[in-house]
Amino acid sequence: MPYPQFPSNFLFGAATAAFQIEGSPTADGKGKSIWDVYSHTRGKIRTGENADITCETYRNPERDLALMTELGLNAYRFSISWSRVLPNGRGQVNQKGLDYYCRLVDLLLERGITPFITLFHWDTPQALQELCGGFAGRDTAYYFADYAEVVVKALGDRAKNWITLNEPLEHCAFGYLLGDLAPGHHNPWEYIRAAHHQLLGHGLALERIHAASPDSRVGLTLSLTPIFPATSQPKDIAAAHVANQFFNDFFLDGVFKGSYPDPFWSKIRLVRPSVKTDDMKIISQPMDFLGVNYYSREFARAAWNVPLLGFWVDETQVNHREQVVNGRQYTNFGREIYAPTFYDTLMRLKNEYGNPTMYITENGASFTDVVENGEVHDPLRIAFLESYMEAAAQAIRDGVNLHGYFIWSLMDNFEWQQGFSKRFGLVYVDHATQQRIIKDSGRWVAKMIRGQGLPKSGQ
Ligand code: GCO
C-alpha cells in the first residue's frame, strides 16, 4: 500500500535539549542551572550518573550537524541554556555562551537546516531558584522575558522560529509537586505558581520577541497526554476529566482561551496563585504556532487519598517495559505504543482550539538498543515512527494544520532522572567514547524524507 506523502514544504527534524546534550557545565563562564545541582545531588538520578559529559555538543557541535545532513533533516530543534547566556539568570551577559549559539545557528543555516530554538527546557538558572524560587516566583517570568530579549536581539536576524517553553506541565508538576525532576520539590503552592508564572513568562517573552524581531514566529511547546478513565465507573470517569485538565487543558485553555478550566481550577482554589488583572490577556496573546510533544495516552482512576485533585494515573504501564501486553507494544519507558490517540489529539486541536499552525516538536520512543557488528537494529523504533508518522499524515489529510515533525531525539542523550538508561536517539551514542552510530531507524527516516513519503519499514 503506497504511503501518503507529506506536504512538499513539510519540515522534518529532530529535537534535543541543552542540558541533555551539551556537557561542559562550567565552561566559558556558564552559570549553574537547577539541573546541574539536581544531577549532582545524591539519589536524584536513578543510575547515579550526571550530564557533565553527555554528548559533548558544546565542545563539538559540527559532529552532529554532519549527522543531521546524513539523515536528510531540514530542521533542528534545540534549546538554549539560560545560565550559559546569563550565568545569574539576569544582568551580565556571558558573551562566550551567546557566541556558541550564534555559531550553531550559522552552521545550521549553512547546511540548509532551519533552527527551531527552545528558550526554556527546564534548566532554570540556579541563581534565580535561590533568588525567587525559579518559576514558583512571579519575578522569574519577567527575568525570562529579559533573557528572551537578549537572545533574540543576538540571533533574531537569522533564527526565526522561537519556542518559549518546553512542556510547562512537566516542569511544574514533576519539578515542584511530584519531585521527580529538578528542583525536586513537593509543594502544591509552588506547583501551581510555577504553572501560571511559566505561562506568564511565555506571554511576556512573546511580546519581547515580536518587538525585537518582528518577522520571527513564536510558539509554545506543550506535552499533550490524553487521559482515559481506568474503569467505566463514574468516579473514574470524573477523575479522568480532572486529570485531562491537569495534564492538558490548563495550558491549552490558558493560551488559547485566556482562562483556566473548571472543575480543576475550582478544586485547587486553596492553593491558587493570585492572577493579576492583565495576566490572562498577556498569556493568551495569539501565538504563531503550537508545538505538540506527544508520547502516549494514560489512564486515571479516582483516588480519595490525593488531596484537592482526587485522581491518580495508573502506574502499571511502567511495568510493561518493552513487552507486548493485551496486544499493545510498550517502550522501555513503559509507554504504550498507540497511534490512534495521537491522531485524535491532533483532531481535537483542530476542532476545539481553532486548528492553530502546529509542529510535532517531540515524538519518539526508547528501546534497549545494542551495537552488533557496528550497527544498531531497532525495528520497534521504526514501527513506532511508521505508525505515528502515518497518523500525522492522515491528520493533515483530514485538515489538521500541521507543518513539521521533530523526532525525539537526534541522538541518545541524558534522560533526566533516568540518566543514560533510556535511549531515544536516531543515532546511538557511546557517551564514554563519543562514538556515534546511525541506527536503522535513522536510515529509515532518511529514506522517508528522501521519498517524501512513508516507505514500509525494512525497505
Ligand atoms: C520530555 C522532554 C524531553 C524528554 C523526552 C523523553 O518531553 O519529557 O521534552 O526532554 O527527554 O520526552 O522522555
Side-chain angles (χ1 to χ4, degrees):
M1 179 187 80
Y3 283 93
Q5 295 280 335
F6 282 88
S8 57
N9 56 352
F10 198 71
L11 291 180
F12 293 100
T16 62
F19 182 78
Q20 295 180 272
I21 67 166
E22 287 183 356
S24 308
T26 60
D28 297 332
K30 174 183 169 294
K32 275 190 179 179
S33 75
I34 59 173
W35 267 97
D36 292 314
V37 174
Y38 191 78
S39 59
H40 281 276
T41 304
R42 181 187 297 277
K44 298 301 183 186
I45 309 301
R46 305 248 158 89
T47 59
E49 297 162 315
N50 62 59
D52 290 357
I53 304 274
T54 188
C55 302
E56 286 287 76
T57 55
Y58 181 74
R59 290 192 192 290
N60 181 352
E62 289 83 356
R63 169 172 51 198
D64 300 316
L65 287 149
L67 287 169
M68 293 177 213
T69 299
E70 196 167 346
L71 293 176
L73 303 181
N74 58 17
Y76 176 53
R77 176 187 174 224
F78 65 95
S79 79
I80 289 181
S81 162
W82 185 346
S83 59
R84 201 179 287 282
V85 172
L86 291 168
N88 293 313
R90 59 187 178 139
Q92 183 65 36
V93 171
N94 174 29
Q95 193 56 48
K96 283 189 175 179
L98 195 51
D99 289 348
Y100 165 74
Y101 295 109
C102 292
R103 187 165 129 249
L104 176 56
V105 166
D106 292 341
L107 289 168
L108 286 165
L109 294 175
E110 282 165 21
R111 289 173 176 270
I113 298 173
T114 301
F116 271 63
I117 303 177
T118 308
L119 288 162
F120 179 71
H121 201 124
W122 305 351
D123 47 356
T124 311
Q126 179 62 19
L128 294 183
Q129 182 65 37
E130 292 170 5
L131 177 71
C132 50
F135 272 111
R138 187 179 172 89
D139 289 351
T140 299
Y142 296 86
Y143 294 135
F144 176 66
D146 295 342
Y147 151 63
E149 187 172 5
V150 164
V151 171
V152 174
K153 278 186 172 170
L155 280 167
D157 60 328
R158 48 210 195 279
K160 299 296 182 184
N161 298 284
W162 298 90
I163 295 167
T164 52
L165 308 171
N166 174 76
E167 298 193 357
L169 178 275
E170 271 69 14
H171 179 58
C172 67
F174 292 91
Y176 289 93
L177 183 63
L178 300 173
D180 279 356
L181 299 179
H185 294 182
H186 299 83
N187 183 323
W189 285 266
E190 287 188 336
Y191 141 70
I192 193 59
R193 276 156 188 72
H196 178 63
H197 297 154
Q198 284 183 91
L199 291 184
L200 179 62
H202 155 73
L204 293 168
L206 186 149
E207 291 172 348
R208 300 284 193 86
I209 295 168
H210 277 155
S213 174
D215 61 343
S216 274
R217 301 164 70 239
V218 188
L220 165 75
T221 277
L222 297 178
S223 57
L224 297 180
T225 306
I227 308 290
F228 294 85
T231 74
S232 56
Q233 292 184 48
K235 63 183 175 116
D236 290 339
I237 292 171
H241 181 53
V242 175
N244 258 306
Q245 294 184 347
F246 173 87
F247 280 93
N248 307 308
D249 297 7
F250 174 85
F251 301 93
L252 286 169
D253 287 16
V255 295
F256 285 113
K257 298 179 179 174
S259 62
Y260 292 137
D262 271 326
F264 170 80
W265 193 235
S266 301
K267 279 178 171 293
I268 61 162
R269 61 184 164 286
L270 292 177
V271 296
R272 281 186 333 208
S274 63
V275 176
K276 304 217 181 308
T277 310
D278 290 341
D279 284 4
M280 298 317 292
K281 185 163 157 274
I282 293 167
I283 287 169
S284 59
Q285 295 170 79
M287 294 187 287
D288 300 300
F289 63 86
L290 173 69
V292 175
N293 286 2
Y294 188 92
Y295 288 94
S296 66
R297 63 176 173 172
E298 300 279 359
F299 295 86
R301 56 180 76 243
W304 58 268
N305 56 341
V306 175
L308 303 177
L309 297 172
F311 74 82
W312 196 248
V313 171
D314 191 339
E315 294 289 304
T316 53
Q317 295 201 80
V318 177
N319 304 323
H320 301 336
R321 278 199 186 84
E322 225 151 339
Q323 298 167 31
V324 177
V325 178
N326 298 330
R328 294 254 188 279
Q329 173 71 51
Y330 286 76
T331 71
N332 79 356
F333 219 116
R335 287 170 173 162
E336 178 196 26
I337 299 178
Y338 187 63
T341 43
F342 176 44
Y343 170 86
D344 295 341
T345 297
L346 296 176
M347 293 306 289
R348 180 171 183 241
L349 291 168
K350 170 179 177 289
N351 298 330
E352 296 180 29
Y353 289 96
N355 201 17
T357 297
M358 286 177 246
Y359 296 89
I360 305 303
T361 39
E362 284 181 31
N363 174 249
S366 61
F367 296 102
T368 307
D369 295 326
V370 291
V371 181
E372 294 171 284
N373 304 321
E375 296 181 331
V376 178
H377 305 301
D378 54 341
L380 288 176
R381 188 173 287 105
I382 292 173
F384 173 95
L385 289 171
E386 201 166 39
S387 64
Y388 278 73
M389 296 193 91
E390 191 163 2
Q394 180 65 47
I396 292 170
R397 264 205 310 282
D398 293 347
V400 168
N401 196 6
L402 184 66
H403 296 266
Y405 205 115
F406 294 83
I407 294 165
W408 185 271
S409 179
L410 172 67
M411 56 192 155
D412 298 336
N413 56 54
F414 189 80
E415 180 51 32
W416 308 111
Q417 78 277 30
Q418 305 284 346
F420 293 109
S421 66
K422 298 289 179 286
R423 292 179 176 273
F424 280 87
L426 296 174
V427 176
Y428 182 94
V429 178
D430 178 328
H431 299 98
T433 66
Q434 292 299 314
Q435 182 195 15
R436 277 116 166 102
I437 300 171
I438 295 179
K439 302 176 188 175
D440 290 357
S441 59
R443 303 285 176 206
W444 179 86
V445 166
K447 273 188 227 165
M448 182 272 295
I449 294 171
R450 273 201 307 277
Q452 274 290 297
L454 286 164
K456 267 192 176 307
S457 51
Q459 277 177 359

